[in-house]
Amino acid sequence: MSNALHISEKALPDGLDVDRVRADFPILQRSIHGKPLVYLDNAASSQMPQPVIDRLVHYQTHEHANVHRGVHTLSQLATTEYENARHKVMDFLGAADEREIIFVRGATEGINLVMHGYGRAFLKEGDEIILSAMEHHANIVPWQMLRDEKKVVLRIIPMDDTGELLLDEYEKLFNARTKLVAITHVSNALGTINPVREMIATARQHGVPVLLDGAQAAPHIPVNVQDLDCDFYVFSSHKLCGPTGVGILYGKAALLEKMQPYQGGGDMILNVTFERTTYNEIPYKFEAGTPAIAAGIGLGSAIDYITGIGLERIAAHEHALLSYATEAVQNIKGLRIIGTARHKAAVLSFTLDDIHPHDIGTILDHQGIAVRAGHHCAQPVMQRFGVAATARASFAFYNTLEEVDALVAGIHTVQKVFA
Ligand SMILES: *Cc1c(COP(=O)(O)O)cnc(C)c1O
C-alpha cells in the first residue's frame, strides 16, 4: 500500500489508525489472482481479526466442554465464558437484562424464532403484520409461511426512488388488526438507514410491538435497544467480525416470558416426564440443545474488538469511504447507483451500462476486488428498482480510500472489456 499514511490521514479525521487495524486482519494480507485482496463484500460477511481467531483457538485448546451441565472444572469454565459473552452482548446492545439475550444461529434464526414463538402462538386469521419494501428474504419468507398457515395479512411499507420508506404510507397501514411491525434497521441492498426511532414511536402509539432486523446495523452504527424501545432485535456474528454459526435475538423480557419455545430438547427444560415438561426460564427456554459454544465466545471477543475501536469511529470512517466512493463513481458514465437515501450505511449498489452484475463481479475478482453480484437476498428491492441484480461494494472500518480507488479503476476496466 503505497502512500498509506497520506491516505489514512485523508480518510480518518476520526483518528482511526487504519494501517494498524488492517495489521490485525491476516486475511487482508493475502492476494487474489496475484493482486492484493480488496475486500468489499462486508455486508455478506466481514473478516475476523487475530484477537478473535486467537480467542477461538484458546477456547478449543484450553477451555472446551459442554455448557450448563457438568460439575467438572472445564464445563464450569466453558459455561462462565459463554455466559460472559452473553453479558457482553447485553452491554453492546444496551439491554437491561441478560435474560433478554438469546443465542441463535444468526439473524435468520432470530426472526424465525419470533415467527414461531410470537407469530404462531398469538396471531389469528385476519391479523396483520407490517413489513417494508426493502426487507431481506430472512424478514419476508418466515412471515409468508405464517401467512399461509394462519391466514394473517402482510402489509408492505412502500419506498421512494431513492430507497427511503414512505412514512406517511407507513402510518396509514395501522389498524386494529395490526399485531407486529418487522422492519430492517439498515438495508443490505440499498444501504438506507431507516428512521426506526420514529417508526417505533408510531407503532407504540398503536400498541404494536416492533422487531428490528439489525444484521446490517449492529456492525456499523451504535445501537441501544432500550433507547430505541424496540421489542425484538436480531443480528449475526459473522457480519461483525465474529464467527459464523451464531447470532443474537434480543427480546423484551415480558414478551419473551409469554412466548412459546421455538425448539424442544435439552437445556430448555426444567423437568421432563412422559406426561409433561416444564420449560426453563428465559433465555434458556429458547436455547434447545448444545449451542455453538466456541462461536458464542468468539462473538464476545469480536464485540470487545469492535467496541475497542468504537462504533462512532467506525461509522465515521465508513461514512468517509462511502462519500468518497459515491463521488468517484458518479463520474463514471453508464453507472447507476441503486439506493441514494439521505442516511446511508456504507453500501454502494450499482449497475453499469447493460453489463450483467455477475460479469462485473467476475472481472473485478480478477483484479483482486471482492464485491457481491446478485439480488442480495432482496429480490423485491430489485423489482422495485427495475433491475434483476446489482453489483454491491460494502465497506468496513478496515477499508481504505486507496481501495476505493482500486474499485473505481476496476470498474473502468470492466467497461473497457465490454466496450
Ligand atoms: C445478512 C442479513 C440477514 C441474514 O443474516 P444471516 O446471518 O444469513 O442469518 C438478514 N437481514 C439482513 C438485512 C441481512 O443483511
Side-chain angles (χ1 to χ4, degrees):
M1 298 261 148
S2 63
N3 220 4
L5 223 129
H6 174 64
I7 295 286
S8 33
E9 275 171 7
K10 215 162 53 143
L12 306 167
D14 41 80
L16 189 148
D17 186 344
V18 78
D19 293 334
R20 226 183 92 192
V21 164
R22 290 179 69 81
D24 283 339
F25 289 80
I27 204 167
L28 298 180
Q29 328 298 323
R30 70 159 290 174
S31 56
I32 300 285
H33 299 301
K35 307 275 166 51
L37 167 64
V38 175
Y39 188 76
L40 303 178
D41 195 17
N42 296 286
S45 205
S46 56
Q47 300 297 348
M48 196 185 283
Q50 194 65 51
V52 179
I53 298 170
D54 290 346
R55 186 69 192 87
L56 294 174
V57 172
H58 182 83
Y59 169 76
Q60 280 324 148
T61 312
H62 302 288
E63 299 172 340
H64 173 68
N66 211 331
V67 291
H68 306 141
R69 284 167 174 77
V71 294
H72 64 78
T73 304
L74 276 185
S75 175
Q76 287 177 2
L77 182 58
T79 304
T80 302
E81 293 304 322
Y82 190 62
E83 292 302 322
N84 277 347
R86 193 190 306 275
H87 196 92
K88 286 174 188 179
V89 175
M90 177 190 80
D91 287 343
F92 180 67
L93 289 179
D97 189 337
E98 278 168 2
R99 298 180 310 140
E100 299 182 316
I101 305 299
I102 300 164
F103 281 113
V104 289
R105 230 163 22 89
T108 302
E109 189 175 53
I111 296 167
N112 276 274
L113 193 158
V114 176
M115 187 278 267
H116 282 264
Y118 176 84
R120 253 189 173 162
F122 302 129
L123 268 56
K124 295 184 292 295
E125 181 170 344
D127 284 346
E128 300 188 1
I129 298 172
I130 296 177
L131 309 176
S132 90
M134 63 174 77
E135 296 310 314
H136 187 283
H137 296 164
N139 199 30
I140 300 175
V141 183
W143 306 115
Q144 284 176 331
M145 294 163 92
L146 186 70
R147 177 197 64 193
D148 296 344
E149 185 185 316
K150 290 272 183 175
K151 303 197 167 52
V152 298
V153 177
L154 306 184
R155 305 280 223 124
I156 312 301
I157 313 161
M159 61 179 154
D160 66 17
D161 292 340
T162 69
E164 292 188 13
L165 295 178
L166 300 174
L167 297 184
D168 293 351
E169 299 299 320
Y170 167 61
E171 289 191 21
K172 288 186 212 152
L173 294 179
F174 285 91
N175 62 48
R177 309 304 307 260
T178 311
K179 290 290 150 51
L180 181 71
V181 173
I183 49 172
T184 197
H185 191 170
V186 171
S187 160
N188 67 312
L190 302 168
T192 310
I193 302 175
N194 285 315
V196 291
R197 183 189 302 276
E198 293 93 297
M199 295 178 79
I200 291 166
T202 302
R204 208 46 81 227
Q205 284 164 16
H206 296 271
V208 175
V210 178
L211 178 152
L212 291 185
D213 175 353
Q216 296 297 340
H220 302 290
I221 56 178
V223 172
N224 184 305
V225 290
Q226 288 191 81
D227 198 37
L228 287 172
D229 195 25
C230 60
D231 298 273
F232 300 107
Y233 200 92
V234 300
F235 72 92
S236 293
S237 155
H238 70 96
K239 293 179 179 175
L240 198 135
C241 301
T244 55
V246 71
I248 295 298
L249 166 65
Y250 157 84
K252 282 186 178 166
L255 262 171
L256 292 177
E257 269 160 0
K258 280 196 299 191
M259 279 162 55
Q260 294 301 307
Y262 172 46
Q263 295 179 331
D267 245 21
M268 55 77 72
I269 53 87
L270 287 178
N271 191 39
V272 178
T273 65
F274 278 106
E275 287 67 43
R276 87 180 280 273
T277 289
T278 45
Y279 301 134
N280 205 339
E281 306 283 304
I282 61 167
Y284 308 111
K285 180 170 89 175
F286 298 105
E287 296 181 348
T290 300
I293 305 165
I297 292 170
L299 168 59
S301 171
I303 285 174
D304 285 343
Y305 186 85
I306 294 283
T307 51
I309 294 173
L311 272 162
E312 301 280 358
R313 258 187 187 177
I314 287 174
H317 178 63
E318 292 174 356
H319 187 75
L321 292 173
L322 180 72
S323 304
Y324 182 73
T326 303
E327 209 181 301
V329 300
Q330 267 160 2
N331 300 322
I332 301 176
K333 225 174 133 260
L335 187 144
R336 174 186 172 205
I337 299 176
I338 307 290
T340 51
R342 283 164 297 174
H343 299 291
K344 275 185 71 176
V347 168
L348 189 70
S349 248
F350 61 92
T351 58
L352 187 63
D353 305 319
D354 53 3
I355 305 169
H356 197 287
H358 283 161
D359 292 329
I360 299 173
T362 304
I363 296 168
L364 289 176
D365 181 60
H366 282 289
Q367 300 164 75
I369 304 165
V371 300
R372 182 152 176 206
H375 53 60
H376 317 295
C377 300
Q379 284 183 324
V381 173
M382 301 296 112
Q383 286 148 18
R384 170 63 180 77
F385 285 88
V387 295
T390 72
R392 179 189 70 185
S394 52
F395 304 101
F397 56 92
Y398 44 68
N399 289 126
T400 64
L401 292 180
E402 200 176 28
E403 290 181 310
V404 174
D405 291 340
L407 171 69
V408 173
I411 294 171
H412 283 299
T413 303
V414 173
Q415 275 187 323
K416 272 187 219 124
V417 170
F418 282 89

